[in-house]
Amino acid sequence: MKKEITIYDIAKALKVSPATVSRALNEHQSISGRTTKAVKEMAKKMGYRPNILASSLRTKSTKTIGVITPWINRPFISSVISGIEEVANKEGYNVIISQSNDLLRKEVANAKALFASRVDGLIVSLAMETLRFDHFKPFVDRKIPLVFVDRASSNLGTDRIMIDNFEAGYIATRHLIEQGYTRIAHLTGAEHREIYRERKEGYLSALRENNIELNEELIVVSGLSYQEGRESMEKLLDGTLMPQAVFCANDTSAVGVVQCIKKRGLKVPGDIALVGFNDDPIASIIDPPLTTIAQPSEEMGKIAAQQILKKLRNPKLVKSETIVLKSNLVLRSSSVVSKKITIPE
Amino acid sequence: MKKEITIYDIAKALKVSPATVSRALNEHQSISGRTTKAVKEMAKKMGYRPNILASSLRTKSTKTIGVITPWINRPFISSVISGIEEVANKEGYNVIISQSNDLLRKEVANAKALFASRVDGLIVSLAMETLRFDHFKPFVDRKIPLVFVDRASSNLGTDRIMIDNFEAGYIATRHLIEQGYTRIAHLTGAEHREIYRERKEGYLSALRENNIELNEELIVVSGLSYQEGRESMEKLLDGTLMPQAVFCANDTSAVGVVQCIKKRGLKVPGDIALVGFNDDPIASIIDPPLTTIAQPSEEMGKIAAQQILKKLRNPKLVKSETIVLKSNLVLRSSSVVSKKITIPE
DNA sequence: CAAGATGGCGCAATCGATTGCGTAAAATTT
DNA sequence: AAATTTTACGCAATCGATTGCGCCATCTTG
């Protein structure tokens, strides 16, 4: 319909050169105020839209940050994304979000697509499956800023934004021990995913510190989905020793655990106490409300974006940092019998 | 570090023209099999990555579909997105997702950004606030395929993918009536958002058909968030007449309603029965499990993407269709007292 | 064997914006 | 008034891929 209008059209209309139009639109100082104003007015009048493809081609910058996450519908992650978007948009960057569904295959495909799209930076939270990292090599090779959030890898020398998962695991477990439980099970994710390994180490450390003997049977590895949470708990309950408490490495699986326990006619925390991880909204909604570890998710997203922008502005910065944020234990009734806790306001 | 290599570099290495390289890479028939093979091998060997910016600039197609949704973390929507991605990716299209947070301001910003990014097509589910639609005009003017999913507008002559919300509202309400309830409240969204209006019309129709007098007090409008669900229910319970049942226009608010009812020491469905909408995962997890209307969300996403692709392939197709899919009532214990329903497997 | 058909490829323009360098005019200094 | 500096802008190359048109060599056909 309408022909797409370009700086050449504006230039012609104003009898100036395209170079001047380009500079005027970018508020280049070497163009007089009068000309700049005239160009901008004409641009608006003619319905000009800059061709960012041409611009990006020339400047080699797409003003775009790519994001790869396992799932976009998990509360923790979508909150991280909000943080990223807020910071990025404020600086004029667009954000392209993709999800791996915890599959290496899709993570690789996403990485390729974002690389092909020439994103200026990349923020990643790893898929559960991921063990190899060659799909990130192109980014590293071309010095495209790469930041991991939460699910990170220590092998690649990149920025990482996370909490102290060891400490969080330790605190969660110690809390259960303080409530008087000693037979404490742990639902965890794949061992090679650092955050889960560290949460487990924290769990083990708390047990050790309190001279509680570890029983390997009480540790169940899974994808930490709702369904797997239920199945893992089934397994535990069918095992030789019934746990008195369970520390789950995320809330999603903890919710599955609750359902399983209820279905068996048992009570939480009466028969089995529970601690989750992430403080998803459902944690406060489910019956009983879930004690859990809260992470500053949005803050993590903001910082991740800031790290990218920092390196984009100052390419000489190559040293990679690991930024560790505070997490905290949120007490609710799934693990506390003593004081009565009502549904929160 | 590594210099970015182009078709010119490949051309030089192979002593052919860049045109031939370009054609070979695109498997153009006018290039011999031998040359094509040689070019592809050399491309791989030299670590070539096509510059899609240059390509898009020339071809005026970005192979990208934009998506604007209110929230990416709502189960219904993230499932729609999955459907879109599946179809789009299969056809070599990328998907750019953005969220409006139900704010017109952000929806407009998203539309502008996607327009500037020159997406080939746009899929939208409207923000709760949205009343004006001029931000979509640029797309319509340039004949960029535009499809609405779920939260649509009938004013713009564009494709729409949805369920029969009137019928769904009718069925949900009739179900409650069949259970013997007559004082049925309805939590709904902004009246100008068609889907909510139609669900309400269905609700009204069911009441009318059963000669149940409508009481305006029983209809509460809100943003349908969890928090607003709780507040709306507070209001209802503090009102002059207590409802026997509530039909909520989404599950999120229904969950808030459940919490409110529980907090008051009342029972669901004993004191108040409940029907939600969307069949979010939480609907089957919450206690009691929620009767709700299930929408074929992923299917809706797939069809939306297919519509875009169809128009992209055949630009002569301008007639816009409204595709109506089947929804169905999922019975759970929040509305059914007669038969015992256990936690589903 | 000549004429036409076909296959395989190159030339060069093009998409639209950016930018280093150069220069004329205006402003300032001497 | 001449010299110098500053201001404001234009020229033309460039980013990398695509594509209409044309050309030559080989092949087919009468």
Side-chain angles (χ1 to χ4, degrees):
Chain A
M1 187 92 223
K2 273 193 218 160
K3 190 183 159 291
E4 200 74 50
I5 86 126
T6 73
I7 55 169
Y8 295 91
D9 301 319
I10 300 176
K12 202 165 296 172
L14 254 36
K15 297 188 196 309
V16 296
S17 76
T20 300
V21 175
S22 172
R23 292 195 175 99
L25 291 172
N26 291 315
E27 306 202 317
H28 197 286
Q29 69 246 336
S30 82
I31 301 295
S32 74
R34 201 171 62 255
T35 309
T36 300
K37 190 157 164 256
V39 168
K40 287 194 172 181
E41 278 169 4
M42 182 58 76
K44 173 165 286 184
K45 183 177 151 202
M46 299 179 72
Y48 168 74
R49 78 162 154 167
N51 190 324
I52 54 168
L53 297 170
S55 173
S56 297
L57 173 60
R58 185 62 224 255
T59 62
K60 298 185 181 308
S61 148
T62 55
K63 288 285 217 170
T64 295
I65 295 175
V67 179
I68 303 178
T69 64
W71 309 93
I72 56 173
N73 59 349
R74 297 262 174 103
F76 169 75
I77 297 181
S78 70
S79 174
V80 170
I81 292 176
S82 293
I84 294 173
E85 284 185 329
E86 191 184 324
V87 170
N89 291 341
K90 200 170 288 174
E91 297 292 322
Y93 279 77
N94 284 319
V95 178
I96 300 186
I97 303 156
S98 62
Q99 48 184 340
S100 63
N101 297 344
D102 266 335
L103 267 31
L104 173 63
R105 177 177 58 74
K106 291 200 71 177
E107 186 176 281
V108 171
N110 289 334
K112 279 190 182 162
L114 292 174
F115 183 66
S117 297
R118 290 176 141 72
V119 293
D120 290 343
L122 184 64
I123 297 174
V124 180
S125 188
L126 290 168
M128 192 66 96
E129 284 191 352
T130 305
L131 274 170
R132 298 169 21 234
F133 303 98
D134 14 332
H135 45 304
F136 298 120
K137 196 160 175 303
F139 295 91
V140 177
D141 284 348
R142 311 247 159 137
K143 309 220 181 295
I144 298 168
L146 176 56
V147 175
F148 286 92
V149 178
D150 189 43
R151 299 231 203 126
S153 159
S154 45
N155 299 340
L156 291 82
T158 66
D159 285 354
R160 301 185 302 164
I161 320 292
M162 39 208 331
I163 58 163
D164 186 336
N165 285 289
F166 175 89
E167 186 189 49
Y170 172 82
I171 288 177
T173 310
R174 191 184 61 188
H175 163 68
L176 286 171
I177 295 172
E178 282 167 0
Q179 303 301 305
Y181 306 111
T182 55
R183 213 157 52 249
I184 302 172
H186 179 39
L187 262 56
T188 180
E191 171 102 11
H192 58 260
R193 199 72 305 126
E194 282 80 349
I195 60 166
Y196 299 121
R197 188 172 60 228
E198 285 169 10
R199 286 171 200 176
K200 192 179 94 178
E201 297 292 347
Y203 156 84
L204 294 175
S205 173
L207 294 187
R208 219 175 301 119
E209 196 175 292
N210 290 275
N211 299 314
I212 298 173
E213 201 186 344
L214 166 69
N215 188 315
E216 291 285 357
E217 255 184 71
L218 292 176
I219 300 180
V220 187
V221 177
S222 81
L224 296 176
S225 67
Y226 167 73
Q227 192 55 41
E228 285 165 303
R230 293 188 66 161
E231 290 163 4
S232 301
M233 195 62 208
E234 296 278 359
K235 208 160 110 186
L236 281 171
L237 291 178
D238 291 339
T240 54
L241 63 183
M242 179 167 124
Q244 301 165 322
V246 183
F247 164 40
C248 302
N250 73 4
D251 285 345
T252 307
S253 66
V255 170
V257 168
V258 170
Q259 299 303 90
C260 171
I261 294 176
K262 280 190 183 175
K263 186 173 157 241
R264 295 273 185 130
L266 299 172
K267 297 274 180 228
V268 178
D271 296 304
I272 298 177
L274 217 55
V275 174
F277 210 108
N278 279 352
D279 197 18
D280 289 348
I282 197 173
S284 61
I285 287 170
I286 199 175
D287 181 40
L290 216 56
T291 293
T292 186
I293 301 275
Q295 301 194 56
S297 45
E298 188 157 353
E299 184 69 13
M300 292 170 83
K302 287 189 189 177
I303 294 181
Q306 281 160 1
Q307 285 298 107
I308 297 274
L309 295 174
K310 196 166 91 181
K311 298 216 166 175
L312 246 25
R313 274 195 280 268
N314 191 348
K316 280 166 292 180
L317 284 176
V318 285
K319 204 186 56 180
S320 56
E321 332 174 39
T322 295
I323 297 179
V324 180
L325 302 183
K326 287 251 166 302
S327 64
N328 68 296
L329 182 69
V330 179
L331 292 180
R332 296 206 185 91
S333 33
S334 75
S335 68
V336 187
V337 268
S338 47
K339 69 177 166 192
K340 184 171 177 289
I341 295 187
T342 53
I343 297 169
E345 270 313 308
Chain B
M1 189 89 223
K2 271 194 221 164
K3 190 183 157 293
E4 199 76 49
I5 85 125
T6 73
I7 55 168
Y8 295 92
D9 302 317
I10 300 176
K12 201 165 298 174
L14 253 37
K15 299 189 194 309
V16 295
S17 75
T20 299
V21 175
S22 172
R23 291 194 175 98
L25 291 172
N26 290 315
E27 305 202 317
H28 198 287
Q29 70 245 333
S30 83
I31 302 294
S32 74
R34 201 171 63 254
T35 309
T36 301
K37 190 158 164 255
V39 167
K40 287 195 170 178
E41 278 168 4
M42 183 57 76
K44 172 165 284 182
K45 183 178 152 201
M46 298 179 72
Y48 168 74
R49 80 163 153 167
N51 190 323
I52 56 168
L53 296 169
S55 173
S56 297
L57 173 61
R58 184 64 225 256
T59 61
K60 299 186 179 308
S61 148
T62 55
K63 288 287 215 168
T64 295
I65 296 175
V67 179
I68 303 178
T69 64
W71 308 92
I72 58 173
N73 59 349
R74 297 263 174 102
F76 169 74
I77 297 182
S78 70
S79 173
V80 170
I81 293 176
S82 292
I84 294 173
E85 284 185 329
E86 191 184 325
V87 170
N89 291 340
K90 200 170 288 174
E91 297 292 322
Y93 279 76
N94 284 319
V95 178
I96 300 185
I97 304 156
S98 62
Q99 47 184 341
S100 64
N101 297 343
D102 265 335
L103 265 32
L104 173 63
R105 175 178 59 75
K106 291 200 71 179
E107 185 175 283
V108 171
N110 289 335
K112 280 191 182 161
L114 292 174
F115 183 66
S117 297
R118 290 177 140 72
V119 293
D120 290 343
L122 183 65
I123 298 174
V124 179
S125 188
L126 291 168
M128 192 67 96
E129 285 192 350
T130 306
L131 274 170
R132 298 168 21 232
F133 304 97
D134 13 333
H135 46 304
F136 297 121
K137 197 161 175 305
F139 294 91
V140 177
D141 285 349
R142 310 247 157 129
K143 309 218 180 298
I144 297 168
L146 175 56
V147 175
F148 286 92
V149 178
D150 189 43
R151 299 231 202 125
S153 159
S154 44
N155 300 340
L156 292 82
T158 66
D159 284 354
R160 301 186 301 164
I161 319 293
M162 39 208 331
I163 58 162
D164 185 335
N165 285 288
F166 175 89
E167 187 190 50
Y170 171 83
I171 288 178
T173 311
R174 191 184 64 188
H175 162 68
L176 286 170
I177 295 172
E178 283 168 0
Q179 303 301 305
Y181 307 110
T182 55
R183 214 157 51 248
I184 303 172
H186 179 38
L187 261 57
T188 180
E191 172 101 13
H192 58 261
R193 198 70 310 125
E194 281 81 351
I195 60 166
Y196 299 120
R197 187 171 63 227
E198 284 168 10
R199 286 172 199 177
K200 192 179 96 180
E201 298 292 347
Y203 156 83
L204 294 176
S205 173
L207 294 187
R208 220 177 300 120
E209 196 175 291
N210 290 276
N211 301 313
I212 299 173
E213 202 186 343
L214 166 69
N215 188 314
E216 291 285 356
E217 256 184 70
L218 291 176
I219 299 181
V220 186
V221 178
S222 80
L224 295 176
S225 67
Y226 167 73
Q227 192 55 39
E228 285 165 302
R230 292 187 67 160
E231 289 163 6
S232 301
M233 195 62 208
E234 294 279 359
K235 208 160 109 185
L236 281 171
L237 291 178
D238 291 339
T240 55
L241 63 181
M242 178 166 125
Q244 301 166 322
V246 184
F247 165 40
C248 302
N250 74 3
D251 286 345
T252 307
S253 66
V255 170
V257 168
V258 170
Q259 298 304 90
C260 171
I261 294 175
K262 281 191 183 173
K263 187 175 157 232
R264 295 273 185 130
L266 300 172
K267 296 274 180 228
V268 178
D271 297 304
I272 299 177
L274 216 56
V275 173
F277 211 107
N278 278 354
D279 198 18
D280 289 348
I282 198 172
S284 61
I285 287 170
I286 199 173
D287 181 40
L290 217 55
T291 293
T292 187
I293 300 277
Q295 302 194 55
S297 46
E298 187 156 353
E299 184 70 12
M300 292 171 83
K302 286 188 190 177
I303 294 181
Q306 280 159 2
Q307 285 298 108
I308 296 274
L309 295 174
K310 195 165 90 183
K311 298 217 167 174
L312 246 25
R313 273 195 280 267
N314 191 348
K316 280 165 292 178
L317 284 177
V318 285
K319 205 186 57 181
S320 57
E321 333 173 37
T322 295
I323 297 179
V324 180
L325 301 183
K326 287 252 167 301
S327 64
N328 68 298
L329 183 69
V330 179
L331 291 179
R332 297 209 184 90
S333 32
S334 74
S335 68
V336 186
V337 269
S338 47
K339 68 176 167 193
K340 183 170 177 287
I341 294 188
T342 54
I343 297 168
E345 267 314 304

